[in-house]
Amino acid sequence: MYKIKFYKGNYSTRQSKANNDKAVAYVEHHFNSSSSSTANYAVVVTGSNASRTSKNWGRWYAKAVATFFGTQVSGDNGILVGGWNGRGDGNLKHTNMPAILLEPLFASNPLHAEIIRSERGQTDLARILVESIQRFFPNGGLIAFSVGHKYKKSNPNDRGAALAGGGNEADYAEKVLKKAAVMLEAIDQIGTARTIRVMRGDKVLLETEVDEDALVVWDTERGLLNISE
Ligand SMILES: [Zn+2]
């Protein structure tokens, strides 16, 4: 089972509370911003002292987001170890557990901002995050969530970047994390087998378990997903 707790206060306070609670994973959600309105990539920040698990988890998430939304990944195959010239490092480096800071889309890109504001986009982002947690922390446990910018004692009015067309980074990051929390707490089986799903929008058309070592190949020409076990 997963239990989710949202941590508030200054970033170092959030991390030490999550350490005390023995959280198994820590996620801080942001959206990226750039002076260019066409910046179009996903990236995940890890602490400068990040574990292998943090790095692999971050890369998995960035790639999944980029694949889903048809964007690119940036940094070192999707991650920036130690942040943007150190920015973001302090948001993570005090954690004792694997920790990642998400920058899935750009608040400053009008096309991304539309996705961020949409219920559907928030659900899609939440689902990818949930899947990443299931994959890297299959045994369940306490997952620590931190909304970037919001709820800091040091700067209570900070909401991060403005979204092109209205709204702000932090409020939408919070919406995504809240959706992810609901999804995670609804999972009643942990350590589940490898699963293949076919989805149309939000609807699952097919869900089936496959062997961990099955070869699964999508054949574009034939429109065939072939599972060899
Ligand atoms: Zn931010």
Side-chain angles (χ1 to χ4, degrees), residues 100-206:
I100 55 176
L101 187 157
L102 314 178
E103 304 269 18
L105 294 166
F106 274 83
S108 48
N109 179 327
L111 296 174
H112 291 199
E114 281 303 319
I115 297 169
I116 294 166
R117 269 191 299 270
S118 71
E119 187 91 26
R120 171 73 184 282
Q122 294 154 23
T123 302
D124 291 336
L125 286 168
R127 184 173 292 111
I128 295 168
L129 175 60
V130 165
E131 287 173 9
S132 80
I133 290 168
Q134 285 183 281
R135 188 175 182 100
F136 284 86
F137 308 94
N139 299 322
L142 176 67
I143 310 295
F145 277 179
S146 165
V147 179
H149 303 281
K150 213 170 171 179
Y151 307 117
K152 284 181 297 182
K153 277 222 164 90
S154 58
N155 187 359
N157 298 320
D158 184 9
R159 295 290 181 277
L163 259 66
N168 65 66
E169 175 192 347
D171 287 341
Y172 286 102
E174 185 168 33
K175 284 182 196 287
V176 174
L177 286 181
K178 284 194 166 158
K179 284 180 189 288
V182 170
M183 291 178 195
L184 280 166
E185 291 192 330
I187 293 169
D188 49 12
Q189 279 175 292
I190 54 167
T192 48
R194 184 175 172 201
T195 306
I196 300 290
R197 275 171 301 154
V198 176
M199 297 184 68
R200 176 176 282 145
D202 262 9
K203 280 213 176 60
V204 178
L205 303 180
L206 171 79

Side-chain angles (χ1 to χ4, degrees), residues 216-227:
V216 180
V217 179
W218 171 245
D219 183 329
T220 316
E221 296 302 319
R222 295 172 70 194
L224 172 72
L225 185 72
N226 194 46
I227 301 166

Side-chain angles (χ1 to χ4, degrees), residues 29-31 87 103 148-149 160-161 169:
H29 204 304
H30 290 249
F31 289 104
R87 195 172 171 212
E103 304 269 18
H149 303 281
E169 175 192 347

